[in-house]
Amino acid sequence: MKRMTAMRARLTGLALLGLAAIGLAGHASAQGVVDAARAALPEATRQSGTLKVATSLQWAPFDYASESGEPVGIDISLMQLLAAKLGLKAEFEDLKFPAIIPGVQAGRFDVGVNQFDVNDERRKIVGQLPYFNSGYGLLVRKGVTGIDVNNLCGKTLALTQGSAQIAIAEKLSAACVAASKPEIETTFYPDSADTYLAVANGRGDGFLTARAVGVYISKGNPKLELAPGALSGMNSISGIIVGKSNEGLYKALLLAMKSAIADGSYAAVLDKFGVADGALTLEQIEK
Amino acid sequence: MSARLAMDTKGPSAAMSKAPEIVDPPRFGRWIGVVLVGGVMAWIVFQVLTNPGFQWDVVGRYLLNAGVLKGVAMTLQLTVIVMIVGLLIGIVVAVMRMSGDPLLIFCAHAFVWFFRGTPVLVQLVFWYNLAALFPAIEIGIPFGGPKFFEIPATVAISSFTAALLGLGLNEGAYMAEIIRAGLLSVDNGQTEASKALGHKPWQTFWIVVLPQAMKAIVPPTGNQVVGMLKYTSIASVVALYELMHSVELIYSRTFETVPLLIVAALWYLFLVSILSVIQYFIEKYYSKGWHRQDDRGV
């Protein structure tokens, strides 16, 4: 049964491509379009010509608004790349984080991106296509050397109140104490901007952050840089959210991703944002 | 105005003019108060202006930013439309509740109970994603009758429509209670007098009861408008680009959180000030005939 529908989809895809070749469908050129991936798309999505993406533009450098108000970021560039490979145009809608997944579930959007962690709770309700591995690193004042990210015992970390990094720092500190080393000192600041400012001014030894964010901050702040290396055993895989029952789209995105890895355009997108070390291998994505 | 002239105009009371002139006792307490309050205000202003944490240069740079202005326009637009919708729904529901008809009373009760009792955020996300429950909006005979026409819900419910429904219905429930209280504040004798004049029921309501009820309705409604102005920011959850969202987008990129929140605060203050002036004039209009001319405080 499934094979039948896939077969029919493929035939329709071929038919459409034929039309495109004659120039009746609105495709100027099928350049860069991965035929197999496009064929796997659900009929309605292919017909519409757009890939509707739900995001929240408050998460630099993954999803944010440029000065002119255009959506930009790692997730945005990647979705534009994948959409192009499917012969679609990515259309972004800027929601708030909690509304993204319900919007995809309702079918209002094809996919959702906002550096969503891939986890088992989400697996129950939506499909997740892994695309990025975010490690944790340490932002330090420019020119400071000799800090080992995986040995912070006795150092002082600047933290933002209420952030996820507090729990990480506590865990690391507990490990230090267990190994009878001095514990990690912490100082707290009300918001991220204050924390960066403090570290830039030489208060505390560093600021724990997702490496991608660290790269973005150090670009905008000439006094900060990202210390080499990542926290060991502290990875989080991010995934593209797809509707649970939308297997066709999932497969199409996977094939598009495959092609993007093969031709280097996936690596190029990550490299553009200085986060090439977060690239996933095909095996990790297909898991 | 000389004392002599005043005496001349007094006429019969001229004989009393030997009485000493009445002078208010000096209010030392008030003067001390003025000095204290002035000092505190000056200190606050000084702090605000000289504290580098406020980053006034950044505030100045973004106060008239095109994106922020777009947000201001949307906030104003949504506030006005939501309040009009809320007011209309509120009048209907309040009249239903006071109609004495058991069915109407039940429906009005149920409406107020539901829309006051559920979080607006839930309502917004629900309206916005109506397609999850009803893939298409159909006009036709329910329970399997023929369909006249249908539109996909995702097309029908835009961000603005979802915000309007979520906020408007909620506001309608609150306004219904405010209007009901206002109508109850009008003495029953007014209704009876109106009937005695031969007014029809709708005339009694529009010509006699509602204008008098307005005196009690306007102040809390003004309060609701001010609240709604800021509450519209919740609509950004369904991709509506309003004032709060416009500054959030900027500080998410630049991390200049505090100055951009000040930009939003200044705009809200400015808009609320304008609304307060409008409210003052509306109140003045509806309290005509309630104050003696010489009753004004000095």
Side-chain angles (χ1 to χ4, degrees), chain B residues 72-104:
Chain B
V72 170
M74 179 52 90
T75 290
L76 263 182
Q77 193 185 347
L78 190 64
T79 305
V80 170
I81 299 180
V82 162
M83 282 316 293
I84 291 172
V85 169
L87 199 64
L88 293 176
I89 294 176
I91 292 175
V92 172
V93 175
V95 172
M96 276 166 73
R97 265 197 76 168
M98 297 174 75
S99 64
D101 180 305
L103 178 65
L104 289 182

Side-chain angles (χ1 to χ4, degrees), chain A residues 167-179:
Chain A
I168 298 169
E170 279 170 357
K171 214 166 86 180
L172 294 174
S173 188
C176 289
V177 174

Side-chain angles (χ1 to χ4, degrees), chain B:
Chain B
M1 175 82 62
S2 70
R4 177 176 303 276
L5 204 68
M7 262 169 42
D8 291 350
T9 54
K10 285 276 195 290
S13 61
M16 300 284 287
S17 66
K18 289 282 183 288
E21 200 185 338
I22 297 171
V23 179
D24 282 347
R27 292 197 169 92
F28 293 116
R30 184 178 286 182
W31 296 342
I32 295 169
V34 166
V35 170
L36 276 177
V37 171
V40 170
M41 296 266 288
W43 181 81
I44 290 175
V45 170
F46 173 78
Q47 279 298 318
V48 167
L49 289 180
T50 57
N51 185 332
F54 285 94
Q55 293 174 277
W56 288 107
D57 55 321
V58 181
V59 174
R61 185 153 26 106
Y62 286 113
L63 198 56
L64 297 177
N65 172 287
V68 174
L69 291 181
K70 208 172 100 184
V72 170
M74 179 52 90
T75 290
L76 263 182
Q77 193 185 347
L78 190 64
T79 305
V80 170
I81 299 180
V82 162
M83 282 316 293
I84 291 172
V85 169
L87 199 64
L88 293 176
I89 294 176
I91 292 175
V92 172
V93 175
V95 172
M96 276 166 73
R97 265 197 76 168
M98 297 174 75
S99 64
D101 180 305
L103 178 65
L104 289 182
I105 291 176
F106 171 79
C107 291
H109 255 300
F111 176 87
V112 171
W113 170 79
F114 183 79
F115 285 102
R116 255 196 346 184
T118 47
V120 175
L121 181 69
V122 174
Q123 291 182 36
L124 284 170
V125 174
F126 169 83
W127 285 118
Y128 190 63
N129 292 316
L130 206 59
L133 301 152
F134 307 102
I137 295 172
E138 299 162 354
I139 310 281
I141 312 285
F143 305 114
K147 279 181 289 195
F148 301 136
F149 77 105
E150 58 176 321
I151 21 178
T154 43
V155 175
I157 307 273
S158 68
S159 295
F160 192 83
T161 315
L164 193 59
L165 283 166
L167 293 167
L169 289 167
N170 191 273
E171 191 57 31
Y174 279 94
M175 285 309 299
E177 290 299 285
I178 289 176
I179 290 166
R180 193 171 66 94
L183 294 175
L184 287 173
S185 75
V186 180
D187 189 80
N188 208 23
Q190 298 288 324
T191 311
E192 286 165 8
S194 171
K195 281 178 181 162
L197 288 171
H199 282 159
K200 294 186 177 70
W202 66 266
Q203 284 177 311
T204 299
F205 179 76
W206 278 110
I207 299 172
V208 178
V209 178
L210 194 60
Q212 296 187 71
M214 286 305 274
K215 197 172 69 73
I217 292 174
V218 172
T221 303
N223 204 20
Q224 291 291 98
V225 176
V226 168
M228 181 51 69
L229 184 79
K230 298 192 293 288
Y231 206 51
T232 48
S233 66
I234 199 170
S236 62
V237 77
V238 292
L240 199 85
Y241 187 95
E242 44 66 58
L243 172 54
M244 203 63 214
H245 191 61
S246 68
V247 304
E248 282 170 352
L249 281 184
I250 297 172
Y251 73 60
S252 303
R253 182 182 71 241
T254 64
F255 295 102
E256 292 161 325
T257 312
V258 173
L260 276 149
L261 287 176
I262 292 175
V263 168
L266 289 174
W267 270 112
Y268 280 120
L269 269 176
F270 174 69
L271 295 174
V272 167
S273 308
I274 293 177
L275 288 175
S276 303
V277 171
I278 296 173
Q279 186 186 338
Y280 168 81
F281 283 110
I282 297 178
E283 270 184 44
K284 211 170 137 181
Y285 173 82
Y286 279 111
S287 56
K288 265 194 308 207
W290 287 89
H291 296 295
R292 294 215 314 273
Q293 281 306 304
D294 53 353
D295 217 15
R296 287 170 311 206
V298 177

